[in-house]
Amino acid sequence: GQQVMQIPQYQHVQEGEDFTTYCNSSTTLSNIQWYKQRPGGHPVFLIQLVKSGEVKKQKRLTFQFGEAKKNSSLHITATQTTDVGTYFCAGPAGGGNKLTFGTGTQLKVEL
Amino acid sequence: NAGVTQTPKFRVLKTGQSMTLLCAQDMNHEYMYWYRQDPGMGLRLIHYSVGEGTTAKGEVPDGYNVSRLKKQNFLLGLESAAPSQTSVYFCASQIDAGWYEQYFGPGTRLTVT
């Protein structure tokens, strides 16, 4: 079945450093979604990418969808303590009725 | 507008006991999902529903049953709990078919001893 892997699994950065997480799918994706889960919280939708090579920005966050639509990345510029959490990518499975979530990247930001 | 709510927030069960987790949404969403989250394994889909009266198996359905008698509610049942079912359970809803975001509830932390 479809597999969605994320690397790295964990990342510790100093506040102000940049951070990137990568998402790789075993199959071509029609779209990809990104979610953020704060410690002790629940996943919250961040963004959806649909087009090959698409790049979207949300303030310090930059999301990219690969040309082959099998990978994606999330880059955070100048991390802040509010960025702490686990970031998940998710791709559609089963004809659009459900999502396959990546394994997640846990980000810790130290002052 | 409460969004997605889950009951209870925490629960401790002994092996072999049964329980039902309740998920409710007030957004009139058609699709609802139950996930479990374990360290290092992301979110895994247990069961889902594409509408009132329908249910379908997800990635890890064994040991769980579900029901969607009303559009706004999605129940997850454990008939005979096992320690392997210790996890955090999240319910989510989606407005309809297609590439839409999912809205998650706050989660239920279940420990089976």
Side-chain angles (χ1 to χ4, degrees):
Chain A
Q2 179 189 59
Q3 292 187 348
V4 180
M5 302 299 294
Q6 280 183 255
I7 55 170
Q9 188 173 2
Y10 303 98
Q11 185 83 61
H12 289 206
V13 299
Q14 296 288 325
E15 189 177 40
E17 291 182 337
D18 291 355
F19 160 78
T20 304
T21 174
Y22 300 91
C23 177
N24 295 289
S25 170
S26 58
T27 59
T28 301
L29 301 171
S30 57
N31 69 90
I32 195 159
Q33 297 181 2
W34 284 91
Y35 290 78
K36 177 184 178 181
Q37 183 177 21
R38 295 182 185 274
H42 58 277
V44 175
F45 175 81
L46 292 176
I47 207 161
Q48 178 173 267
L49 305 172
V50 179
K51 299 177 183 177
S52 169
E54 187 171 16
V55 178
K56 286 188 175 181
K57 292 189 176 183
Q58 289 180 348
K59 297 183 180 178
R60 294 178 294 103
L61 277 63
T62 302
F63 302 85
Q64 199 161 8
F65 201 8
E67 294 290 340
K69 301 183 81 173
K70 293 184 72 174
N71 57 75
S72 181
S73 65
L74 158 58
H75 180 81
I76 302 178
T77 303
T79 54
Q80 300 175 0
T81 54
T82 54
D83 296 324
V84 165
T86 301
Y87 293 85
F88 294 98
C89 61
N97 291 338
K98 49 191 177 179
L99 293 172
T100 296
F101 280 81
T103 45
T105 295
Q106 184 178 349
L107 172 65
K108 293 191 175 180
V109 180
E110 299 171 356
L111 293 172
Chain B
N1 199 347
V4 181
T5 58
Q6 291 183 234
T7 309
K9 288 184 171 53
F10 304 93
R11 186 73 186 268
V12 178
L13 287 180
K14 294 185 177 179
T15 298
Q17 288 185 320
S18 62
M19 78 164 294
T20 301
L21 281 67
L22 170 64
C23 175
Q25 53 95 5
D26 62 1
M27 298 175 284
N28 201 35
H29 284 179
E30 288 293 332
Y31 285 33
M32 296 186 74
Y33 306 85
W34 275 108
Y35 294 92
R36 59 177 291 173
Q37 185 174 37
D38 304 294
M41 301 193 72
L43 292 153
R44 292 184 292 168
L45 183 64
I46 304 171
H47 286 281
Y48 64 102
S49 168
V50 300
E52 181 179 310
T54 75
T55 62
K57 293 181 179 180
E59 181 186 353
V60 288
D62 294 342
Y64 305 95
N65 56 75
V66 288
S67 64
R68 184 114 181 257
L69 299 179
K70 293 184 178 181
K71 185 177 183 178
Q72 63 267 33
N73 295 337
F74 195 28
L75 278 62
L76 177 71
L78 286 72
E79 291 185 347
S80 180
S84 60
Q85 294 178 304
T86 293
S87 188
V88 180
Y89 291 86
F90 287 101
C91 175
S93 71
Q94 179 177 306
I95 186 168
D96 209 331
W99 314 131
Y100 298 106
E101 65 186 280
Q102 292 189 6
Y103 293 80
F104 283 80
T108 296
R109 186 172 295 274
L110 175 66
T111 302
V112 183
T113 60

